[in-house]
């Protein structure tokens, strides 16, 4: 009996040690995973802090004849070089673009392109084909899954459209993008904890 009791005690100690090691292994593994996810979330927060700064720059709004309009659109009309004041912040955001979701990234690029094409249109006001810049933008984003181009935009292909009408339609398109971008930011903050969904977005 003493022999059997000793064997049982040894087995119990051994199995207990194995169980403890397994528990420690899974706890450490879970801690590592949580630390890893925390690091990713922190990186994403830093990236979106830069996006928020940029968003505030492009959404300096006031009430006008067409409602809420982006001040930057009017600034570019007055001085095309004024766009360069937000270029640094765009560059700062895109330095961390891998931590931004696809929708937010495309909307930012789209707003950026709209401003570039509008700026080129103004700077080449003496060229007969200056309206081709608007067509380039349309061709690039007409099939965008996130946001359709405003219906009025195609009227900009007409060479006879007055500059104030061009300004109004560019402002409407810019606002459409900005408001969708705002919603995208809100949705992203709600889903930050779902790290696996973010990491697996390219596997769909």
């Amino acid at each position: 009996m003493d022999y059997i009791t000793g064997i049982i005690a040894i087995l119990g100690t051994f199995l207990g040690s194995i169980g403890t090691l397994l528990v420690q292994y899974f706890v450490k593994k879970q801690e590592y995973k949580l630390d890893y996810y925390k690091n990713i979330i922190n990186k994403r927060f830093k990236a979106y802090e830069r996006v928020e700064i940029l968003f505030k720059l492009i959404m300096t709004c006031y009430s006008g004849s067409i409602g809420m309009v982006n001040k930057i659109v009017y600034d570019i009309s007055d001085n095309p070089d004024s766009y360069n004041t937000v270029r640094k912040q765009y560059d700062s955001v895109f330095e961390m673009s891998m931590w931004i979701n696809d929708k937010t990234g495309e909307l930012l690029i789209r707003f950026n392109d709209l401003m570039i094409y509008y700026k080129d249109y103004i700077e080449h006001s003496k060229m007969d084909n200056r309206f081709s810049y608007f067509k380039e933008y349309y061709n690039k984003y007409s099939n965008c899954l996130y946001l359709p181009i405003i219906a009025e935009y195609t009227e900009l292909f007409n060479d006879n459209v007055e500059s104030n009408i061009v300004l109004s339609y560019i402002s409407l398109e810019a606002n459409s993008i900005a408001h969708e971008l705002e919603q995208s930011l809100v949705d992203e903050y709600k889903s930050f904890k779902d790290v696996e969904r973010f990491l697996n977005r390219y596997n769909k």
Side-chain angles (χ1 to χ4, degrees):
M1 290 293 294
D2 292 339
Y3 175 76
I4 294 175
T5 301
I7 294 295
I8 292 174
I10 292 173
L11 286 174
T13 302
F14 176 74
L15 292 175
S17 298
I18 294 296
T20 300
L21 289 173
L22 287 173
V23 170
Q24 290 177 345
Y25 169 77
F26 286 112
V27 168
K28 289 292 184 182
K29 185 177 181 180
Q30 187 64 21
E31 288 178 349
Y32 174 81
K33 181 178 180 180
L34 292 175
D35 287 342
Y36 175 68
Y37 280 14
K38 181 180 179 181
N39 186 48
I40 290 177
I41 291 173
N42 286 338
K43 285 183 178 292
R44 299 200 70 207
F45 267 117
K46 289 178 181 178
Y48 276 92
E49 284 175 355
R50 297 186 184 189
V51 174
E52 283 189 11
I53 294 172
L54 176 60
F55 181 75
K56 289 175 181 177
L57 286 174
I58 65 178
M59 280 297 289
T60 304
C61 299
Y62 61 93
S63 296
S65 59
I66 60 171
M68 297 299 282
V69 293
N70 284 286
K71 186 175 182 297
I72 187 174
V73 178
Y74 280 79
D75 286 345
I76 291 175
S77 295
D78 296 333
N79 177 15
D81 289 335
S82 66
Y83 170 70
N84 296 328
T85 61
V86 296
R87 276 301 313 177
K88 288 185 179 180
Q89 190 60 33
Y90 267 110
D91 293 341
S92 173
V93 168
F94 291 122
E95 284 175 0
M96 301 188 71
S97 59
M98 70 174 294
W99 303 110
I100 298 172
N101 76 325
D102 297 339
K103 180 178 180 180
T104 300
E106 181 167 330
L107 289 169
L108 286 171
I109 294 172
R110 178 168 164 178
F111 191 98
N112 184 43
D113 283 348
L114 181 67
M115 295 301 99
I116 289 174
Y117 289 131
Y118 182 45
K119 183 171 177 284
D120 287 343
Y121 155 78
I122 294 170
E123 291 178 338
H124 298 88
S125 59
K126 296 181 180 179
M127 292 177 58
D128 294 335
N129 63 340
R130 62 178 179 150
F131 289 87
S132 63
Y133 295 112
F134 298 144
K135 291 183 180 180
E136 289 180 31
Y137 173 88
Y138 184 84
N139 290 336
K140 187 172 183 179
Y141 294 106
S142 59
N143 295 321
C144 178
L145 298 176
Y146 304 125
L147 183 69
I149 296 175
I150 62 168
E152 298 91 341
Y153 189 88
T154 55
E155 295 185 26
L156 301 183
F157 302 162
N158 183 347
D159 290 351
N160 297 321
V161 176
E162 296 181 1
S163 59
N164 63 318
I165 299 298
V166 173
L167 173 61
S168 296
Y169 290 163
I170 293 296
S171 296
L172 285 172
E173 174 67 8
N175 271 294
S176 177
I177 299 170
H179 290 306
E180 188 67 19
L181 175 59
E182 182 178 30
Q183 185 59 53
S184 181
L185 292 177
V186 171
D187 292 341
E188 269 304 283
Y189 278 128
K190 290 178 182 178
S191 65
F192 259 31
K193 63 180 180 180
D194 192 354
V195 176
E196 290 188 8
R197 180 190 64 83
F198 174 74
L199 294 176
N200 293 328
R201 68 193 190 281
Y202 294 122
N203 296 330
K204 295 180 180 179

